[in-house]
Amino acid sequence: MSAAERQAERLESGVVTELAREVVRRLAEHPKRTQLTDHHATAAEVDTLVKALLSDRHAAASDMLAGLQADGLPLSEVYIGYISGAARRLGQLWDDNEIGFLQVTLATSRLTAIICALKKVFYDREGSPRRRALFAACPGESHVMGVSMAADLFRREGWEIDLEIGQDHDELLMAQHLGDYPVIGLSASSDAMILPMARFIRAARLLTPQALIYVAGEITHQHADIATTVGANGVLNDPVTALAQIASALERN
């Protein structure tokens, strides 16, 4: 096992355990909640959905929600009344030590898949989804010129790039959750950014598991194995070669 892989394992012990708790809370705090009709699902209905999410049958929860839609319940009410309620309930069960890490991770991944299927409820994008990316400075990062220049270059090549600078972990994670970006470029300049970067990448993996995540910035010159350390798909050494690198990865993906 390489030094980078050993460091990644050490990061896992401090990051992944907190991750499941964090994601279920993020799913329950959607910022457009007030814009959607609120269906007041009963506690018993929410508990039924939670049991389905934790059950041995993979499709139990999605089948339950599909049944509600077939009965005429609007998608927005399914999301707000049931899914947000289940996310909050999972958080409570986790806090009270009534379910373990593997259970909350399983339920969260299923809930995330359902949310992806309902994403048209809270946003709608036009155009090709493959030439979209989120470029961001790592939470806590103050060196932002490089990522800004990279965003400009990609835009000139026809990419739809959303640039996030100065966002904290929660804000950046919510941007990825709402945007469902197929590509993420995360810029960092120093060792102090390794833990925040690893924490964000692992959270983003749960929300958008198919996304290609790349590390850029001075950190890539300081640590040749930084992608392995933080769980990224690779590094971007410069904006020019990054265009071809990402395009090739999307084709393979």
Side-chain angles (χ1 to χ4, degrees), residues 186-229:
L186 199 60
S187 178
S189 64
S190 68
D191 287 1
M193 295 295 104
I194 292 178
L195 182 57
M197 186 184 301
R199 183 182 179 218
F200 171 79
I201 289 174
R202 282 153 176 76
R205 291 278 186 223
L206 281 184
L207 292 179
T208 48
Q210 298 303 315
L212 297 172
I213 306 177
Y214 293 94
V215 178
E218 185 62 27
I219 193 75
T220 64
H221 302 294
Q222 299 170 358
H223 298 279
D225 294 328
I226 187 64
T228 300
T229 299

Side-chain angles (χ1 to χ4, degrees), residues 82-94:
Y82 287 83
I83 295 180
S84 288
R88 288 192 296 272
R89 181 63 179 142
L90 284 168
Q92 292 169 356
L93 293 172
W94 171 263

Side-chain angles (χ1 to χ4, degrees), residues 34-50:
T34 57
Q35 299 176 18
L36 303 177
T37 303
D38 195 354
H39 173 76
H40 297 288
T42 66
E45 291 170 328
V46 170
D47 283 341
T48 299
L49 178 57
V50 169

Side-chain angles (χ1 to χ4, degrees), residues 39 41 45-46 48-49 61-75 77-79 81-83:
H39 173 76
E45 291 170 328
V46 170
T48 299
L49 178 57
S62 57
D63 286 350
M64 174 184 169
L65 296 178
L68 291 172
Q69 296 172 55
D71 290 339
L73 192 66
L75 283 173
E77 296 184 6
V78 171
Y79 183 87
Y82 287 83
I83 295 180

Side-chain angles (χ1 to χ4, degrees), residues 130-143:
R130 295 177 64 81
R131 291 175 64 84
R132 295 177 48 246
L134 173 67
F135 281 11
C138 183
E141 179 59 70
S142 58
H143 296 83

